[in-house]
């Protein structure tokens, strides 16, 4: 990997970790439905020029139904669930739970597709869920109403994990850029009515508008373009580092820009969740003991 590849990987972690900062900044003023809708609509408008080719349009028309399913499960519903959650949860905490996406993808692959799940991967799943329970106990002690927000975060990561396998099964032969553009257009169409109907009665302040623009342009449109660019350069295995960068940047932006406290419980829960995710995805694998060579008796 070259320096530019490391820079882009770090930038993606910073951008997707920053999405929780922007959601936290804008959710209170806009509400969950309008802010999620603005994110999808803004991203779809940014993506629109990239679809202006006959080949991409033909792929979109041929595979519109599975692309629509991805639009619901990988964009519209997770956007809404995370935006709802960040109305009451700190941005850093929400980003930590988002880091469990690879773990839920492994669990869904085991339950749905019968993919192999050995003892170490199972231990990783157990560790990840223990980390969630540890964070949930601390959050509920501070804010009793945080339970629904935590469940919303977990539901969003489950949807992300499902979308990974569904895309692989139904859209493996389709240009990934077509899937991304088409799915965000579907998300924009789905969320447009609720965005209009739930629009806030009081005009949102400028910082909320800037947060919405950051979500749509930086954390969605730009981030996905960078993602596919670096994916083609470094491959799928190396790009798996990004889910581990998102919680780190989410906690960092929340602490630096929103003054969110970083507690020992958060750090411990984050460490346990990331360890569990690393074990589940096979990124960390304990070394096997090498048997000693038998010495032949003479």
């Amino acid at each position: 990997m070259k320096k530019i590849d490391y820079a882009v990987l770090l930038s993606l972690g910073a951008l997707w970790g920053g999405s929780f900062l922007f959601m936290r900044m804008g959710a209170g003023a806009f509400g969950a439905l309008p802010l999620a809708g603005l994110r999808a609509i803004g991203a779809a408008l940014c993506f629109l020029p990239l679809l202006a080719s006959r080949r991409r349009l033909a792929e979109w028309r041929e595979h519109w139904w599975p692309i629509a399913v991805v639009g619901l499960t990988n964009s519209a519903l997770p956007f809404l669930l995370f935006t709802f959650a960040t109305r009451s949860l700190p941005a850093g905490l929400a980003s930590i739970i988002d880091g469990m996406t690879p773990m839920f993808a492994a669990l869904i692959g085991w339950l749905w597709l019968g993919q192999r799940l050995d003892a170490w991967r199972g231990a990783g799943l157990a560790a990840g869920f223990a980390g969630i329970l540890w964070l949930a106990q601390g959050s509920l002690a501070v804010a009793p109403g945080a339970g629904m927000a935590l469940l919303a975060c977990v539901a969003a990561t489950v949807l992300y994990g499902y979308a990974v396998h569904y895309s692989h099964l139904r859209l493996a032969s389709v240009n990934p850029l077509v899937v991304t553009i088409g799915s965000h257009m579907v998300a924009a169409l789905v969320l447009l009515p609720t965005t209009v109907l739930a629009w806030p009665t009081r005009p949102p302040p400028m910082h909320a508008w800037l947060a919405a623009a950051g979500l749509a342009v930086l954390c969605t449109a730009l981030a996905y373009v960078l993602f596919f660019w670096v994916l083609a350069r470094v491959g799928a295995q190396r790009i798996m580092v990004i889910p581990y960068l998102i919680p780190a940047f989410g906690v960092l932006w929340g602490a630096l820009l929103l003054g969110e406290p970083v507690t020992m419980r958060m750090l411990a829960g984050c460490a346990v969740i990331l360890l569990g995710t690393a074990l589940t995805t096979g990124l960390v694998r304990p070394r096997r003991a090498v048997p000693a060579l038998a010495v032949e008796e003479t």
Side-chain angles (χ1 to χ4, degrees), residues 13 26 31 33 35 51 55 65 79 89 108 122 139 147 153 163 193 203 217 231:
L33 285 167
L35 185 58
L51 197 60
R55 186 175 65 180
W65 174 248
F79 287 177
L89 282 186
I108 291 170
S139 299
C153 287
V217 178
L231 176 63

Side-chain angles (χ1 to χ4, degrees), residues 22-113:
F22 290 137
M23 284 187 282
R24 182 69 171 161
M25 290 172 58
F30 278 107
L33 285 167
L35 185 58
L38 286 175
R39 179 180 185 179
I41 294 166
L45 292 174
C46 293
F47 283 136
L48 192 59
L50 300 178
L51 197 60
S53 76
R54 290 184 178 179
R55 186 175 65 180
R56 289 174 182 172
L57 285 172
E59 279 192 291
W60 156 247
R61 286 193 295 267
E62 183 179 356
H63 302 280
W64 70 271
W65 174 248
I67 289 175
V69 173
V70 173
L72 284 174
T73 58
N74 197 60
S75 297
L77 291 175
F79 287 177
L80 178 57
L81 288 166
F82 272 124
T83 307
F84 165 77
T86 51
R87 295 187 68 180
S88 53
L89 282 186
L93 181 56
S95 70
I96 290 172
I97 298 176
D98 177 72
M100 295 185 67
T101 297
M103 191 187 77
F104 280 113
L107 178 61
I108 291 170
W110 175 56
L111 294 173
W112 180 22
L113 303 175

Side-chain angles (χ1 to χ4, degrees), residues 43-249:
L45 292 174
C46 293
F47 283 136
L48 192 59
L50 300 178
L51 197 60
S53 76
R54 290 184 178 179
R55 186 175 65 180
R56 289 174 182 172
L57 285 172
E59 279 192 291
W60 156 247
R61 286 193 295 267
E62 183 179 356
H63 302 280
W64 70 271
W65 174 248
I67 289 175
V69 173
V70 173
L72 284 174
T73 58
N74 197 60
S75 297
L77 291 175
F79 287 177
L80 178 57
L81 288 166
F82 272 124
T83 307
F84 165 77
T86 51
R87 295 187 68 180
S88 53
L89 282 186
L93 181 56
S95 70
I96 290 172
I97 298 176
D98 177 72
M100 295 185 67
T101 297
M103 191 187 77
F104 280 113
L107 178 61
I108 291 170
W110 175 56
L111 294 173
W112 180 22
L113 303 175
Q115 294 180 351
R116 184 170 175 267
L117 193 67
D118 58 22
W120 284 110
R121 292 177 186 267
L125 287 173
F129 284 115
I132 284 185
L133 293 175
W134 174 260
L135 290 174
Q137 183 182 6
S139 299
L140 293 175
V142 176
M148 289 299 296
L150 283 168
L151 287 176
C153 287
V154 172
T157 58
V158 170
L159 286 169
Y160 281 147
Y162 169 81
V164 167
H165 293 291
Y166 183 86
S167 299
H168 181 72
L169 289 173
R170 300 293 302 275
L171 296 167
S173 62
V174 182
N175 186 330
L177 193 59
V178 173
V179 177
T180 298
I181 297 169
S183 63
H184 281 88
M185 288 183 175
V186 168
L189 290 173
V190 169
L191 293 173
L192 178 59
T194 55
T195 301
V196 174
L197 292 173
W199 194 258
T201 55
R202 297 179 60 182
M206 181 55 66
H207 77 269
W209 280 105
L210 291 174
L215 274 173
V217 178
L218 299 178
C219 302
T220 308
L222 175 61
Y224 271 105
V225 171
L226 290 175
F227 175 80
F228 289 120
W229 182 82
V230 77
L231 176 63
R233 289 174 59 89
V234 306
Q237 184 175 2
R238 287 175 175 169
I239 208 142
M240 281 302 295
V241 71
I242 295 175
Y244 300 91
L245 296 174
I246 293 173
F249 278 104

